[in-house]
Amino acid sequence: QVQLVESGGGLVQAGGSLRLACAASGSIFSINAMGWYRQAPGKQRELVAAFTSGGRKNYADSVKGRFNISRDDAKNTVYLQMISLKPEDTAVYYCNADIQPRGLHQVLRYWGQGTQVTVSS
């Protein structure tokens, strides 16, 4: 059983910073792309930042220069460092990863349970 567990959300004032973490655990053969999405109330889930399977970083235009995605492959963990937070960054942040479980010859997409980020003005 593979699962993603996020941590690090919370309440912060505008201009503040937060660091999210997402750890993948379970019977994992390999991890390909990993990334972060967010969903604000009444809006569709959108990409925030992600590593492609080739290791490149993609960012939403709205977070470029403020957010940084990184990963620790030894810990199967991806991070999202967020600075200069704005009220419009308020959302539930979800981690996702394309993982090949052990014993399975296919890659599956997994999602975390989400962590709330609230930025007050």
Side-chain angles (χ1 to χ4, degrees), residues 12-59:
V12 65
Q13 288 187 330
S17 62
L18 284 173
R19 187 191 193 210
L20 307 182
C22 170
S25 63
S27 185
I28 297 171
F29 177 75
S30 66
I31 299 177
N32 300 335
M34 294 186 80
W36 292 92
Y37 286 69
R38 68 186 180 187
Q39 187 166 20
K43 295 187 177 181
Q44 289 189 330
R45 190 172 297 188
E46 63 176 0
L47 172 71
V48 177
F51 282 101
T52 68
S53 57
R56 295 180 59 184
K57 298 181 184 182
N58 288 333
Y59 293 94

Side-chain angles (χ1 to χ4, degrees), residues 6-94:
E6 298 115 334
S7 60
L11 173 64
V12 65
Q13 288 187 330
S17 62
L18 284 173
R19 187 191 193 210
L20 307 182
C22 170
S25 63
S27 185
I28 297 171
F29 177 75
S30 66
I31 299 177
N32 300 335
M34 294 186 80
W36 292 92
Y37 286 69
R38 68 186 180 187
Q39 187 166 20
K43 295 187 177 181
Q44 289 189 330
R45 190 172 297 188
E46 63 176 0
L47 172 71
V48 177
F51 282 101
T52 68
S53 57
R56 295 180 59 184
K57 298 181 184 182
N58 288 333
Y59 293 94
D61 288 342
S62 60
V63 307
K64 285 181 181 177
R66 300 188 298 120
F67 291 11
N68 181 61
I69 188 171
S70 60
R71 62 193 288 177
D72 184 337
D73 291 337
K75 296 181 178 180
N76 288 340
T77 299
V78 64
Y79 303 95
L80 185 68
Q81 179 68 51
M82 307 182 290
I83 65 172
S84 301
L85 282 160
K86 304 175 181 180
E88 51 264 43
D89 295 316
T90 295
V92 178
Y93 284 69
Y94 296 91

